[in-house]
Amino acid sequence: MKKRLLRYLPSVAGIALGAAAGYAYYVYVGCSSGSCPITSSPYMSMIWGAVTGYLLAGIFTPKKNKKEI
């Protein structure tokens, strides 16, 4: 059971860190005019950050070796 949970750890960590980075980007950079579709809302920034974090975490997830018959 522990192995199964550890397999998803990089993905969950990537989503959490990405969402936090997206919110930080909204707060510190953001869009003052409100016309930017991604950075005008904290929710959109967090969603895009979470997706980016998930994709980046997928790069570092080890793949299983499958034997071909």
Side-chain angles (χ1 to χ4, degrees):
M1 174 93 173
K2 201 179 252 189
K3 273 187 169 180
R4 293 177 79 185
L5 291 177
L6 287 176
R7 188 173 83 189
Y8 296 110
L9 183 65
S11 297
V12 173
I15 291 170
L17 290 174
Y23 184 74
Y25 186 82
Y26 166 77
V27 170
Y28 294 113
V29 178
C31 182
S32 59
S33 67
S35 64
C36 311
I38 295 174
T39 58
S40 63
S41 165
Y43 301 112
M44 287 302 294
S45 293
M46 290 174 67
I47 289 170
W48 279 101
V51 169
T52 304
Y54 175 74
L55 293 174
L56 285 175
I59 294 172
F60 301 109
T61 304
K63 303 293 179 195
K64 293 172 84 176
N65 293 334
K66 294 183 179 180
K67 293 183 180 179
E68 292 188 34
I69 298 174

